[in-house]
Amino acid sequence: MAKTAEIIAAIKLLTTCQASSKSRGLRERLQSNIDQLKELTQAPQSELNCVFDQIRERYLVDAKGEITWSFTALCLCLLEALNDHLDKLLVADAKQSPRQQQYPELPPNILSIQHQKVVQAMGQFIIMLGVCPYLLSGVGVCVRQRTKSPDAMATVKQAEQGCVSNRQRAWHLYRCCSVLVKCSEQPSLRAAIFPTHLIDVISGLLQVCYGPLDIGEDEISPSNRSSSETQKFISPADIKAVMVTKDDRNPSISREEVEMSGQILQQLLDKMYPPLVISELLTLQGIAQTTKCINREWAVKGCGRLLSQRLMKSHGVQALIEATFSNTSRLGRDIHQTWKKADGVAKIVARCPSQVTSMMEYYSIVCPQVLVLLQQDSGGQYAQVLVAIVNAMLIESDTLTIEYVIKPLTSALHSIATGDLRCRGDQLSQTIKMLHQVCTIATSSSPVLAKLLPYLPVLVRVVIETELKMDKQLTALQSMNKHCKEMIVVLLKSLDNDKCCQLLRSITCGPVPDGYVTVSDDVTLHHKDGVLAISNDRLMDSLSMEQTSKLVQHLFTELNDKQIEALVFVDCFHHLCDNLLQLMPINKSLQYEKGVVLFLVTDMCEHKPEQLMSQLGPSTMLKLSSRLLQCHCDVTGSSHISIQDDQSNCLDNQIFGGQITMSIALGIVTMVMTSSQKDTSSNIDRELLPELLSLLEKISGNYPVEELRLMAAELRICVATLGAVKGNVLPRQQTTPHKPLIEEIVSHDLSVNPSNSEPDTPFQCALKEVQDVMLPVRGHGIQVLSKLVRSKDPETLKNTSKVLTIFQEQLKSSDSYIYLRSISGIAALASVQPDHIIPLLCHEFVVLGSDDKKSHDLSEGSCDPKEVTVRLKVGEVLVKVAKDCGELLPHYSNHFLTAIMNGVKSSDALVQASSLSGLATVCEHLGYSLGSVQHEVLQCIRDALVASGNQQVERAGIQALHMILKGLGHRCIEVWIILIVAHLMLDQQVLSDSLRDVYHLLKRTATTSHDPITTEHAHAALDQLNDVMKQSLCSPDASSISKNISILHQ
């Protein structure tokens, strides 16, 4: 058996140009190398003496044969001998017993780098002299593109002229390609030959399998072939029918070799790197298509069939994408070129090949590959191509693409809509991520956006639920929320203004348009460790309504279309008026929609008045306000409730929106009149004013709320004089009859324009505005006072007690606009003078609690609702001040904890629930560094839960326990140990049952409570307590475990 070195030496001798023959032509040099190899093999010690016998028998080489084919045959024999030798070395090595070595040896069939270079040079000779001369024009890479040597081109041309028939060409190609494919089994030989010559081997086998054949001297024409679809290509069976047997003088391919060539081609394509194979097939197809004046349709269709076969194999779509974009490490450098390539790939994937029986079968194979790539493409590297593929599939077959792509892609969203609890949180996260990639890449006219548009209500629900449950530490929820918002914006931008307004209306006031996925009202999302899970216990509270309103306003900002915003505002306003005459609905879905509308209209009127005025105009705004005032007048008049009625407030509580909607209507009138004074060019339709004056007169005389009556009277004067007379109206007794309008205007003008008045300071102006009866003016005055406090205005700081009194009085206001700004003002005072304000606020909260208790004991009923409301607002102030204290909070912790724990002991359930929530918040901002107070805090929460049977109190208490136990961690055990030691030192009874009592309370609540939210928080608190105990009892260092035995007093 010849050794590797001997075979490599023979190959090097055959393929190396000797110094003595450099001046000769190529054919003379080839003949000289053949003669030298013949002398080497005839030596007695040579084991390659059978090479020349093989070329005569297997490759039909004789003494008069063509020199290029003789040289090629010798290269093929030596290459085959090297391949067989490496196989034998590998088999022999496998039979030997394994040896223990520090470093593993290379397999014996691995060649060195120098040896691979020699094999690579021989591979170039085989391709240039054994393959290229026998390829038809338009098949494979032209010789002129490989070399510029005239001698080499002349040699190849002479070899081409030696073949007079296509059968002879096929014979030569088969001999060369079969040996090369056989050698591809060896890693070293494959690495030396195929990286640069794979396209040539594929070209040769493609011509053998699909190329034209000839019978005698006449080439088979397309008209002689079968016209059926299944006989469109020349297959091995077709060649077998027209093939003749082999002639020694005129070599031609045999029937068996033709059949084998197709198998060899498939074997080669399966073995090579798929993207490389597809890249070479695309190149061959492009060369055949661009060949002029030559019919190479068989080559184009043959490459197409092979490409389709590669595409339908596992990871075929990924291989096609990688082959197309192999020259760039990442898509998107040249946007135009990237989209052009992406469209080309999409057309290839979307069109069903002719050899596939049905399009359904093809799409069932290809579409799952697209979905897998979308799921795995975390960096968005192939997102452009995948979106283009989905769009092309929708154009090609809308029904099949929806079945195999859109439905699997949106399965998690469909589970949310139907409340399918089997959908896992990770599936939802992955679905949102994939859809976000698709939506951000797709253009506004993409068909895929039209198919995803029906799921927009589901995305809205996900945004609202994640907003309610989102925490700064839950990055997964933050990412999901952000992705859903961006998808909603993209989907809305793909629509025209009318459809966009329709969808925005459905988000706020419903109903969902036809064709869109409807989400069940009971479906909600809960999170655990950052993963969402679907459940059927949704609570549509005011927070959900507020978040929906904020989402719509966020969409307005992103769409940046003021016309859409104005149209949606008008629709929501009319919806508000239509539902004003109805009592609060029992149906929670309708209640939710009306609450969202109320939040949205209120926020837009408060934050975007100038924009609404510029888009709608003063006349439209007055019409809207008049309609809302008319609805209130209808409600008041139909109920026959006068101002003297003690139950007048009950009516306002029943009206949808109550005082808020009346404040909106009067605020719009104020805004229009103010704008008309600033901008004289604004035209107000004066035909609207008489009706408006009549409505204002009815409101000022009959509306149940005194503040709004005075505000209506003020506006009546302002509207009657077109803003010429303005100011404050003094509060009137209810028994005072109405004056004529002209008398009110004159007295009003005298009261607000005194002579010789001096300019007021900012503090004095703010005090006057606070005394104004108009809610917007009063709110502005409170806001100015807060700014003066923050800026440390000297005059304001001198009157701190007066400012605090004003803020405390405004806390009693029923309007949220007023008391929320009062809370901000008190928080500003506390930040400036904390030593004075914080104890005073805490004392005020405790005193209000004692008043509530007295009234509760005297009446033996519920507490006064007004006093409860005031105490709730003061508690809200305490929590906000505690948040704003920052690092100073531990210094005032005793004040806050004492006051809030006093609220936990209140007899009113709302105050208890609010205090429990505030207690958890204060502990959180203290960093749960409670020290010895920890025992009292937990005991206070436990006592409140045991004593109260209210559902809201249970929810707040269990959630507070969960938050405190989670924040304390192992510290709760350490503090308990300190307490036990202290009691032992003082010879007191050990209070070791407290933690056990908390555990028993949580356990009982988790098993007996019928409220799912309370049960969920109880289970979470139990899990947290179990984790703390495990960390305390099971130390990671076993040597640190010790056992102490103590004998307690009996």
Side-chain angles (χ1 to χ4, degrees):
M1 182 178 64
K3 297 181 179 180
T4 305
E6 183 180 357
I7 300 175
I8 293 295
I11 295 173
K12 187 175 183 179
L13 177 63
L14 184 63
T15 57
T16 304
C17 180
Q18 306 297 326
S20 58
S21 60
K22 286 185 177 181
S23 59
R24 303 178 185 177
L26 179 59
R27 299 177 64 83
E28 288 78 6
R29 281 180 281 174
L30 295 178
Q31 185 62 53
S32 174
N33 288 359
I34 292 174
D35 294 339
Q36 293 182 17
L37 179 63
K38 192 172 184 179
E39 294 177 2
L40 177 64
T41 56
Q42 289 178 353
Q45 67 276 11
S46 177
E47 298 182 9
L48 298 174
N49 47 19
C50 61
V51 171
F52 284 88
D53 296 335
Q54 292 178 1
I55 66 172
R56 284 191 296 269
E57 295 176 2
R58 298 178 57 184
Y59 301 100
L60 304 180
V61 175
D62 54 13
K64 298 180 181 180
E66 173 61 36
I67 184 63
T68 54
W69 179 245
S70 299
F71 185 86
T72 304
L74 281 174
C75 291
L76 292 173
C77 287
L78 291 175
L79 182 60
E80 196 169 4
L82 179 60
N83 180 70
D84 295 340
H85 174 68
L86 295 178
D87 283 338
K88 293 176 181 179
L89 289 179
L90 188 61
V91 172
D93 183 71
K95 294 180 180 180
Q96 295 179 2
S97 59
R99 292 168 292 180
Q100 296 182 355
Q101 295 182 355
Q102 184 177 2
Y103 302 103
E105 294 182 353
L106 287 175
N109 62 337
I110 300 299
L111 299 178
S112 65
I113 296 178
Q114 295 298 327
H115 290 175
Q116 285 188 1
K117 289 183 179 180
V118 174
V119 175
Q120 186 178 7
M122 184 177 62
Q124 293 177 359
F125 275 105
I126 294 174
I127 296 299
M128 287 294 296
L129 302 178
V131 176
C132 291
Y134 307 106
L135 292 174
L136 296 173
S137 178
V139 180
V141 182
C142 181
V143 179
R144 290 189 297 271
Q145 297 179 2
R146 299 173 180 271
T147 180
K148 296 182 180 180
S149 173
D151 194 8
M153 294 177 64
T155 302
V156 173
K157 187 175 182 180
Q158 186 175 0
E160 292 177 355
Q161 296 174 355
C163 292
V164 295
S165 67
N166 289 332
R167 290 190 291 110
Q168 292 181 9
R169 293 175 182 270
W171 184 87
H172 287 83
L173 290 173
Y174 177 76
R175 290 295 180 274
C176 295
C177 294
S178 61
V179 174
L180 292 174
V181 174
K182 179 182 177 181
C183 295
S184 64
E185 298 289 344
Q186 292 295 334
S188 295
L189 300 183
R190 182 171 64 246
I193 298 174
F194 283 95
T196 54
H197 299 299
L198 176 61
I199 188 172
D200 302 303
V201 180
I202 295 176
S203 302
L205 292 173
L206 184 69
Q207 181 173 322
V208 173
C209 293
Y210 300 104
L213 301 176
D214 40 80
I215 304 177
E217 296 181 355
D218 299 329
E219 184 177 0
I220 294 180
S221 61
S223 60
N224 295 331
R225 299 180 184 176
S226 174
S227 59
S228 63
E229 188 67 20
T230 57
Q231 299 292 330
K232 189 177 289 186
F233 307 105
I234 297 297
S235 63
D238 301 327
I239 298 176
K240 185 176 181 180
V242 297
M243 193 58 61
V244 297
T245 57
K246 179 177 67 174
D247 186 358
D248 291 341
R249 296 183 179 180
N250 295 315
S252 61
I253 192 168
S254 67
R255 297 182 179 92
E256 293 78 10
E257 290 169 342
V258 171
E259 295 177 353
M260 188 63 66
S261 63
Q263 300 177 11
I264 292 175
L265 178 58
Q266 293 296 333
Q267 178 185 356
L268 175 65
L269 297 182
D270 292 339
K271 190 182 303 180
M272 293 295 111
Y273 181 53
L276 179 60
V277 171
I278 292 179
S279 178
E280 304 295 20
L281 288 174
L282 290 172
T283 303
L284 288 175
Q285 193 177 46
I287 293 173
Q289 288 175 339
T290 55
T291 303
K292 297 180 180 179
C293 302
I294 297 177
N295 185 10
R296 291 292 177 258
E297 185 180 356
W298 60 268
V300 175
K301 294 183 177 180
C303 291
R305 171 168 287 191
L306 294 175
L307 279 170
S308 301
Q309 293 175 358
R310 298 300 102 193
L311 191 62
M312 294 178 66
K313 289 185 176 295
S314 179
H315 306 292
V317 177
Q318 182 179 358
L320 176 61
I321 296 174
E322 291 180 356
T324 308
F325 297 94
S326 58
N327 295 330
T328 56
S329 59
R330 188 175 179 85
L331 304 185
R333 293 185 176 181
D334 187 350
I335 298 178
H336 177 72
Q337 189 68 19
T338 298
W339 275 113
K340 189 176 180 180
K341 287 185 177 182
D343 290 338
V345 172
K347 291 178 181 178
I348 294 175
V349 177
R351 291 175 183 172
C352 180
S354 58
Q355 67 265 27
V356 181
T357 57
S358 67
M359 183 174 286
M360 181 180 296
E361 177 188 356
Y362 174 70
Y363 271 47
S364 64
I365 296 174
V366 174
C367 291
Q369 298 185 37
V370 177
L371 292 175
V372 170
L373 287 176
L374 278 172
Q375 184 176 0
Q376 296 177 350
D377 189 22
S378 58
Q381 185 175 2
Y382 300 135
Q384 293 181 1
V385 189
L386 296 174
V387 171
I389 289 173
V390 177
N391 287 329
M393 285 182 169
L394 287 170
I395 296 173
E396 195 73 21
S397 178
D398 182 271
T399 306
L400 293 177
T401 308
I402 292 175
E403 180 68 25
Y404 291 107
V405 178
I406 302 300
K407 285 186 177 179
L409 191 62
T410 58
S411 59
L413 297 183
H414 187 72
S415 299
I416 294 177
T418 58
D420 188 359
L421 305 182
R422 294 172 295 179
C423 179
R424 302 193 308 271
D426 55 345
Q427 293 178 346
L428 177 59
S429 301
Q430 189 65 43
T431 297
I432 296 298
K433 187 176 181 182
M434 291 191 295
L435 291 176
H436 178 259
Q437 286 189 5
V438 173
C439 290
T440 52
I441 294 298
T443 58
S444 58
S445 59
S446 296
V448 66
L449 293 183
K451 301 303 177 184
L452 297 178
L453 194 60
Y455 294 92
L456 188 140
V458 186
L459 296 176
V460 171
R461 176 64 63 83
V462 174
V463 170
I464 296 170
E465 295 294 333
T466 50
E467 285 283 358
L468 294 174
K469 300 171 177 64
M470 192 164 52
D471 191 359
K472 295 181 179 180
Q473 298 178 353
L474 299 177
T475 56
L477 294 186
Q478 293 176 356
S479 177
M480 185 182 299
N481 181 275
K482 179 182 177 183
H483 288 168
C484 288
K485 285 182 178 178
E486 293 176 356
M487 283 190 287
I488 294 172
V489 172
V490 171
L491 292 175
L492 291 177
K493 285 184 177 180
S494 66
L495 302 173
D496 54 20
N497 284 0
D498 294 337
K499 293 183 178 179
C500 184
C501 290
Q502 182 184 10
L503 281 177
L504 288 172
R505 281 190 226 107
S506 68
I507 294 174
T508 54
C509 51
V512 177
D514 295 336
Y516 287 78
V517 179
T518 305
V519 188
S520 175
D521 294 333
D522 296 329
V523 174
T524 185
L525 302 175
H526 294 292
H527 72 87
K528 184 176 182 181
D529 299 330
V531 178
L532 286 180
I534 302 173
S535 62
N536 293 322
D537 54 355
R538 186 176 184 226
L539 294 174
M540 293 185 289
D541 52 7
S542 59
L543 290 177
S544 300
M545 302 174 189
E546 185 178 3
Q547 292 301 331
T548 306
S549 173
K550 289 182 179 180
L551 172 61
V552 175
Q553 295 184 64
H554 171 76
L555 296 178
F556 286 154
T557 304
E558 294 296 328
L559 292 174
N560 195 20
D561 193 328
K562 296 181 179 179
Q563 182 181 2
I564 293 177
E565 192 170 353
L567 291 175
V568 175
F569 172 79
V570 172
D571 291 336
C572 291
F573 203 95
H574 286 307
H575 185 274
L576 189 66
C577 295
D578 294 337
N579 292 275
L580 186 67
L581 300 179
Q582 301 176 7
L583 300 181
M584 290 300 290
I586 299 175
N587 188 315
K588 60 181 180 180
S589 177
L590 295 177
Q591 180 181 355
Y592 179 79
E593 293 172 0
K594 295 178 180 180
V596 173
V597 171
L598 186 59
F599 272 108
L600 181 61
V601 172
T602 305
D603 290 340
M604 293 184 70
C605 290
E606 182 178 348
H607 297 103
K608 299 180 179 180
E610 295 84 2
Q611 179 179 328
L612 293 175
M613 282 290 298
S614 62
Q615 287 294 319
L616 299 177
S619 298
T620 303
M621 296 296 290
L622 283 181
K623 288 180 181 178
L624 295 176
S625 177
S626 298
R627 187 185 178 196
L628 190 55
L629 291 174
Q630 182 64 52
C631 293
H632 273 278
C633 291
D634 294 341
V635 173
T636 307
S638 62
S639 301
H640 305 289
I641 296 179
S642 63
I643 300 176
Q644 291 84 2
D645 193 350
D646 294 335
Q647 303 296 328
S648 60
N649 287 331
C650 297
L651 173 65
D652 190 68
N653 293 332
Q654 293 176 354
I655 299 175
F656 174 61
Q659 301 177 23
I660 299 178
T661 53
M662 176 59 74
S663 300
I664 290 174
L666 298 179
I668 291 176
V669 177
T670 305
M671 177 177 62
V672 172
M673 301 310 298
T674 305
S675 175
S676 63
Q677 294 175 12
K678 293 181 179 179
D679 185 8
T680 56
S681 62
S682 62
N683 297 321
I684 299 177
D685 188 0
R686 299 202 175 191
E687 295 180 358
L688 302 174
L689 298 183
E691 180 184 2
L692 180 60
L693 287 172
S694 175
L695 293 173
L696 290 174
E697 184 178 4
K698 292 180 181 179
I699 297 296
S700 63
N702 299 326
Y703 197 74
V705 183
E706 182 181 1
E707 295 177 352
L708 296 177
R709 289 200 310 271
L710 294 176
M711 184 177 179
E714 176 75 16
L715 285 175
R716 178 167 167 260
I717 298 173
C718 185
V719 171
T721 60
L722 294 179
V725 177
K726 56 183 178 178
N728 296 330
V729 186
L730 295 176
R732 300 173 298 179
Q733 298 294 329
Q734 295 181 353
T735 56
T736 304
H738 282 286
K739 296 180 181 180
L741 182 59
I742 186 63
E743 295 182 12
E744 291 190 9
I745 293 174
V746 173
S747 62
H748 200 266
D749 190 27
L750 293 175
S751 63
V752 298
N753 295 292
S755 58
N756 301 326
S757 59
E758 296 181 359
D760 296 330
T761 61
F763 176 72
Q764 294 174 347
C765 291
L767 290 181
K768 290 183 178 180
E769 289 181 351
V770 168
Q771 298 173 2
D772 200 293
V773 294
M774 299 178 67
L775 292 178
V777 178
R778 195 190 316 163
H780 181 265
I782 296 173
Q783 191 172 3
V784 171
L785 277 180
S786 301
K787 290 181 180 180
L788 292 174
V789 171
R790 290 191 183 94
S791 62
K792 298 182 179 180
D793 179 67
E795 185 179 0
T796 307
L797 295 181
K798 290 179 181 179
N799 298 276
T800 304
S801 301
K802 186 176 182 180
V803 173
L804 179 61
T805 304
I806 292 174
F807 287 149
Q808 288 177 327
E809 287 296 327
Q810 298 302 324
L811 280 178
K812 301 177 183 179
S813 174
S814 58
D815 191 273
S816 60
Y817 181 83
I818 300 297
Y819 79 77
L820 286 178
R821 276 152 182 76
S822 301
I823 291 174
S824 301
I826 295 176
L829 273 177
S831 63
V832 175
Q833 296 181 351
D835 294 334
H836 172 64
I837 301 299
I838 290 177
L840 194 61
L841 277 178
C842 294
H843 177 72
E844 178 72 15
F845 184 76
V846 174
V847 170
L848 287 172
S850 62
D851 294 341
D852 290 346
K853 186 174 180 181
K854 291 177 182 178
S855 62
H856 177 72
D857 295 338
L858 292 175
S859 61
E860 295 183 356
S862 59
C863 301
D864 187 357
K866 293 184 178 181
E867 294 179 352
V868 170
T869 302
V870 173
R871 192 176 190 196
L872 288 173
K873 294 175 182 178
V874 175
E876 189 176 353
V877 173
L878 281 179
V879 175
K880 181 172 178 59
V881 171
K883 290 180 181 179
D884 295 340
C885 281
E887 297 180 355
L888 294 177
L889 182 58
H891 179 69
Y892 303 101
S893 60
N894 289 334
H895 294 286
F896 286 111
L897 292 176
T898 302
I900 295 176
M901 283 194 290
N902 181 273
V904 174
K905 301 175 183 178
S906 174
S907 58
D908 186 81
L910 287 177
V911 176
Q912 271 190 302
S914 176
S915 300
L916 286 169
S917 178
L919 183 61
T921 304
V922 172
C923 292
E924 179 183 1
H925 285 274
L926 282 171
Y928 301 101
S929 299
L930 304 178
S932 59
V933 188
Q934 167 192 307
H935 171 73
E936 298 179 17
V937 171
L938 292 179
Q939 188 67 28
C940 179
I941 298 175
R942 175 187 171 275
D943 294 341
L945 289 173
V946 172
S948 176
N950 186 273
Q951 185 181 29
Q952 293 181 346
V953 176
E954 286 186 354
R955 285 185 181 181
I958 295 297
Q959 185 178 11
L961 279 177
H962 176 212
M963 293 178 61
I964 293 175
L965 290 174
K966 183 178 179 180
L968 286 173
H970 64 277
R971 286 181 293 175
C972 65
I973 304 298
E974 295 177 357
V975 174
W976 245 262
I977 294 174
I978 293 173
L979 288 173
I980 291 172
V981 173
H983 285 299
L984 288 173
M985 293 177 63
L986 296 174
D987 292 332
Q988 295 179 357
Q989 181 68 30
V990 180
L991 300 177
S992 59
D993 296 339
S994 299
L995 192 58
R996 183 190 63 187
D997 293 342
V998 170
Y999 174 78
H1000 287 170
L1001 175 63
L1002 292 173
K1003 194 71 174 178
R1004 185 175 65 254
T1005 304
T1007 54
T1008 61
S1009 178
H1010 298 289
D1011 182 27
I1013 298 179
T1014 304
T1015 304
E1016 181 183 358
H1017 285 301
H1019 282 297
L1022 284 172
D1023 293 340
Q1024 185 63 40
L1025 194 56
N1026 290 335
D1027 293 339
V1028 170
M1029 296 302 298
K1030 288 178 181 179
Q1031 293 177 4
S1032 301
L1033 297 177
C1034 303
S1035 174
D1037 186 7
S1039 61
S1040 63
I1041 298 178
S1042 60
K1043 183 177 181 181
N1044 296 326
I1045 300 176
S1046 301
I1047 300 175
L1048 305 178
H1049 294 286
Q1050 298 297 329

